[in-house]
Amino acid sequence: MFLQVGRINGLTLDVQKINGSYSFSFHMVIGQLDEGLYNLNFHYCENILPGTNRPYNLNVEVTEKNPGGYLSAAEIPLPRLYIFMAGVFFIIAMVWVYTLLKYSVFKIHWLMAALAFTKSISLVFHSINYHFINTEGHPIEGWAVMYYITHLLKGALLFITLALIGTGWAFVKYILSDKEKKIFMIVIPLQVLANVAYIIIESTEEGSSEYALWKEVLFLVDLICCGAILFPVIWSVYSAMNLEKLKLFRHYYVMIVCYIYFTRIIAILLKVTVPFQWQWCYEFLVEVSTLIFFVLTGYKFRPASNNPYLQLPLDEEDVEMDEVVTESGMLEGISKVKKTSNGRERQK
């Protein structure tokens, strides 16, 4: 039969012994004044003595619920936060597409648009996934799979787009150098590994040994990817042909460093220092930092005729050709036309 041990501060503990095995259950009600983060620790007292290692089998079934649903106090605002940010990213994606339709653009501009739309869709599925966790107590498999797929695509598109912009691909050249190709050979597989680690973390209990392992793998791989995408920008800074491009690449380098700093360091410090009710601010900081970074990147590399990044300098061959045309009396009145990188013709 059950033995009621006691009732302390809303805790009811029942213990039962059957054939040498113990079964116990407890029910605990926590008021608003006692809300916080709670840990459930299990200690097998028979193994406390040195040299003692007796096997045991433990099955745990835990149901945690708040008055508003199954999400914790730190996670309750997340569904609304994600759906709101999804709308914001969708708006800036539409504004970006509207801008692209007004100018002659490059393929990288459309890749940037695809990234913004993928980010918006990923946040929508993330919000839906959290909504069903809150109402049902567990994620719905179909919505969870859709979120993981879009999250993987978003992560791959993000680092590929940043690296391509850093190399100047499509803006000033259409061929990547060997060292730039090696960066992509490193970043793309690592991004796949990082997303696999993220999916395992999302679907694994925090107390399991796999959780700690894959969390360390995710942190390490993510830092390697962030460091790898800085190399193309640094190479572009040193190979810049004029002052305008040098300034732009320097600004882009600072933007990436600030983005990594806020989303990987400041956000984590915020998460471990604020009270548990405000831990959702970690996700808010990450999403806002990402939004600001997207907007600044789009502004710096916007498809406009007065964008210094899209104005290629004349090479020596072009300058010499201009001098020949000018000095020749037979060709007086004839001008040379050169097509710029944005598709427009420039008369000389």
Side-chain angles (χ1 to χ4, degrees), residues 67-85:
Y70 288 95
L71 290 177
S72 66
E75 297 173 330
I76 289 176
L78 291 183
R80 294 189 296 271
L81 171 64
Y82 288 140
I83 198 66
F84 173 76
M85 294 305 299

Side-chain angles (χ1 to χ4, degrees), residues 96 112 248 251-252 255 258 289-302:
W96 180 252
M112 295 165 68
L248 187 60
H251 293 166
Y252 186 56
M255 286 164 50
C258 291
S289 301
T290 304
L291 175 65
I292 295 175
F293 178 72
F294 278 22
V295 172
L296 290 178
T297 302
Y299 176 77
K300 289 291 184 180
F301 301 98
R302 63 194 183 280

